[in-house]
């Protein structure tokens, strides 16, 4: 028997600050930033995925809660051909799309929804995509647009993907947020009404929560999906994202009970959080990397010697002590040490400002040369304080004669502008999305990702061939050998400076039950209760 829903009055009071507002079965999540939209295929950040993919949508396959194992999702089973090129998915019957004030479905989920979702990403001439021009950076960064040769509807409940080349992580890729399944019927309604862009502001999915409304920089409201296909997995009647970019404000709201969960706490607050009898903090090693990306298309960063000098001028130990405060591990490589295929023989050049000055002089870089250094406006699992880190880098680089001007924007604008290549150097990072090395090496540094998550805009033919060859193999040892070579190529060209891998700390009120920390840095609330 479901609990009574939270009234609009009580919801308003909750967001205004009443500590007793979130009654049993209702939950307020103090999130760190406003999503850029609610169409997961268009985005690449956890902020966007938390607000849409993890609430409103499902995928054909899915990751187990709190783990990396792949489970059936909207596809209840599948077969893979012997040559690894053909995937046949048998869809789950009876799954209902959300019913809202702006859409009432007339049928349940079927093959047409899968075809619409992927054909829109595959075909730039798709009618819906022409009506609402969109790019799908994750899909293209992973080369899936080029590798999916054919998508077929065999019958209403069966679809077949045919690939051009073997993709060892294809099943994992389909469990990722960008592959969230849309309603073809809803898309057709929007197209006929001339409102195609509403797919990004009024989402319809099959997921555990139904979208209510969104107020930028303030709140997102969801209701528990009473018709969810995974019986018993939706225990919350109402879920609210209360948005605040200030970690200290989020902590205060958690302390007073104005929210029951938050994320990305300041390292300085952790001891007090762990000592608070009303709170609990789940701690685990982060599957992440915080780094500096150098835009190699901008002078003087197009010169290897300049990137080497900037890399050597970074005092990583001081940054980790000040920014991570005991919750960070120094990074030397382009992926975390917990990722299989990590090569321990990759080494840093080391902190050497004297050598950095020599390299800059040899490269003809004048003292006082200016560059921009972009700093994130939000706390992320891989970087708890980008502003402080940027200020420390500014001081480090000033010592070798480089003047860094710190630039920042609202998170969605920050990502948009840096993908467009407006920055010289920038702070960014990554939390792995599917447990496969290609999710690091290909998505962040590959040529296919130059207009997406490859913020360095670095494209190296040798590196790219190694990672593409690795993706086409299924033997783990053979893949590892290629990926280890690729890591050395990347390190030699210095498109990035790895800074740290952080420990993830998830603060919750004691009333929260069965919250699972995702190794992929996402926040999911199905299966979660507040009592």
């Amino acid at each position: 028997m479901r609990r009574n829903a939270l009234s609009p009055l009580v919801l308003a009071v909750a967001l205004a600050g009443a500590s007793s507002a979130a009654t049993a079965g209702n939950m307020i999540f103090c999130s760190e930033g406003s999503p850029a939209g609610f169409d997961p295929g268009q985005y690449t950040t956890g902020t966007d995925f938390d607000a849409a993919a993890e609430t409103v949508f499902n995928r054909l396959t899915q990751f187990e809660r709190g783990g990396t194992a792949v489970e059936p999702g909207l596809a209840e089973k599948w077969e893979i051909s012997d040559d690894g090129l053909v995937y046949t998915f048998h869809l789950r019957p009876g799954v209902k799309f959300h019913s809202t004030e702006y859409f009432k479905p007339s049928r349940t989920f079927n093959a047409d929804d899968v075809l619409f979702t992927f054909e829109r990403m595959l075909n730039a001439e798709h009618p819906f995509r022409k009506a609402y021009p969109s790019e799908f950076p994750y899909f293209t960064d992973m080369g899936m647009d080029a590798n999916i040769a054919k998508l077929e509807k065999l019958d209403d409940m069966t679809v077949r993907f045919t690939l051009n080349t073997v993709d060892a992580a294809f099943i994992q890729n389909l469990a990722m947020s960008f592959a969230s399944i849309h309603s073809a019927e809803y898309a057709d309604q929007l197209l006929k009404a001339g409102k195609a862009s509403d797919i990004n502001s009024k989402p319809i999915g099959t997921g555990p929560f139904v979208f209510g409304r969104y107020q930028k920089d303030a709140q997102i409201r969801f209701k528990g999906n009473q018709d969810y296909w995974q019986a018993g997995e939706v225990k919350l009647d109402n879920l609210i994202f209360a948005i605040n970019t200030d970690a200290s404000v989020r902590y205060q709201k958690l302390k007073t009970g104005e929210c029951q969960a938050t994320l990305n706490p300041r390292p300085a607050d952790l001891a007090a959080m762990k000592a608070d009898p009303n709170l609990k903090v789940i701690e685990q090693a982060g599957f992440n990397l915080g780094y500096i990306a150098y835009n190699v298309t901008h002078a003087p960063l197009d010169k290897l010697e300049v990137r080497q000098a900037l890399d050597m001028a970074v005092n990583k130990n001081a940054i980790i002590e000040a920014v991570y405060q005991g919750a960070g591990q120094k990074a030397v490589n382009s992926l975390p040490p917990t990722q299989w295929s990590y090569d321990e023989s990759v080494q840093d050049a080391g902190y050497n400002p004297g050598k950095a000055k020599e390299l800059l002089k040899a490269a003809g870089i004048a003292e006082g040369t200016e560059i921009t250094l972009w700093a994130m406006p939000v706390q992320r699992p891989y970087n708890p304080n980008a502003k402080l880190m940027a200020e420390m880098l500014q001081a480090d680089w000033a010592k070798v004669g480089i003047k860094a001007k710190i630039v920042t924007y609202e998170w969605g604008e920050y990502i948009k502008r840096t993908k467009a290549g407006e920055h010289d150097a920038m702070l960014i990072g990554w939390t792995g999305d599917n447990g496969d090395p290609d999710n690091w090496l290909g998505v962040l540094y590959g040529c296919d990702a130059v207009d997406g998550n490859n913020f360095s805009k670095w494209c190296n033919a040798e590196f790219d061939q190694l990672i593409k060859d690795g993706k086409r193999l299924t033997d783990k040892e053979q893949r590892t050998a290629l990926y280890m070579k690729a890591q050395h190529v990347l390190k030699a060209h210095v498109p990035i400076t790895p800074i740290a891998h952080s420990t993830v700390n998830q603060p919750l009120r004691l009333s929260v039950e069965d919250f699972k920390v995702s190794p992929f840095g996402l926040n999911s609330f199905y299966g979660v209760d507040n009592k």
Side-chain angles (χ1 to χ4, degrees), residues 389-453:
M389 186 182 292
E391 290 168 350
M392 295 183 73
L393 289 171
Q394 186 181 52
D396 283 345
W397 289 344
K399 292 173 185 175
V400 299
I402 297 294
K403 293 179 66 176
K405 177 186 176 184
I406 298 174
V407 176
T408 193
Y409 287 92
E410 178 271 331
W411 181 233
E413 192 70 12
Y414 183 87
I415 293 296
K416 178 182 177 182
R417 287 175 178 267
T418 50
K419 284 186 176 179
E422 294 185 20
H423 61 290
D424 292 331
M426 68 177 290
L427 295 179
I428 194 64
W430 193 251
T431 298
D433 281 325
N434 68 8
D436 193 88
D438 184 73
N439 186 242
W440 297 90
L441 300 174
V443 172
L444 300 183
Y445 319 115
C447 294
D448 289 339
V450 161
D451 293 324
N453 286 310

Side-chain angles (χ1 to χ4, degrees), residues 140-177:
T140 54
D141 285 2
M142 299 178 76
M144 292 183 75
D145 57 327
N147 199 32
I148 297 175
K150 190 190 304 182
L151 175 58
E152 302 168 272
K153 173 183 174 180
L154 303 187
D155 59 46
D156 279 350
M157 302 307 292
T158 314
V159 295
R160 176 182 292 162
F161 289 80
T162 302
L163 307 184
N164 287 312
T165 59
V166 173
D167 181 348
F170 189 66
I171 292 295
Q172 291 96 315
N173 294 344
L174 293 184
M176 292 166 61
S177 298

Side-chain angles (χ1 to χ4, degrees), residues 2 25-27 209 224 234-238 525 528-530:
R2 295 186 61 83
N26 302 291
M27 190 164 179
F209 296 94
V234 180
K235 299 174 182 177
L236 297 171
D237 295 305
N238 295 281
F525 294 95
V528 178
D529 205 352
N530 178 47

